[in-house]
Amino acid sequence: MKHDLGHRLIHGDARTGNLLFDDTRWLLGDWDSIANGPRLQDFIPVMTGHRRFGRPYTLWTSFCHAYGIGPALEQHPAASIPDKRSQNPIPGHLHSLRRST
């Protein structure tokens, strides 16, 4: 699905654990995985953390503000991640990968 953020230089491991604060602003560190790709990819780990695993919403909003994007991005159809209450812990396509005993 197409999204408005486009393709450009991405961090590749963008998550709150890689945010650094220098007393005035947030900086994104650990640039070992940089690549040219869809910008939305940088938001997936943090968005998943709060939507699926109950991490604080403030981590999501802080990350978005540090990146220069509003947190309403999570409402975009291309960013659809079911919340933890609405999905089976093992997605259907993974059931077939379970080892038989």
Side-chain angles (χ1 to χ4, degrees), residues 7-28:
H7 282 67
R8 61 179 69 169
L9 185 67
I10 61 171
H11 184 274
D13 187 23
R15 55 190 176 84
T16 54
N18 285 332
L19 283 176
L20 308 167
F21 190 68
D22 76 352
D23 293 327
T24 59
R25 62 187 174 160
W26 288 98
L27 303 168
L28 192 54

Side-chain angles (χ1 to χ4, degrees), residues 12 19 33 37 53 57 59 65 70 73 79 81-83 90 93 95 97:
L19 283 176
S33 302
F53 303 111
Y57 184 72
L59 291 177
H65 291 304
L73 169 69
I81 297 173
D83 68 34
I90 302 175
H93 67 282
H95 282 286
L97 299 178

Side-chain angles (χ1 to χ4, degrees), residues 86-97:
S86 67
Q87 183 165 341
N88 184 327
I90 302 175
H93 67 282
L94 294 180
H95 282 286
S96 62
L97 299 178

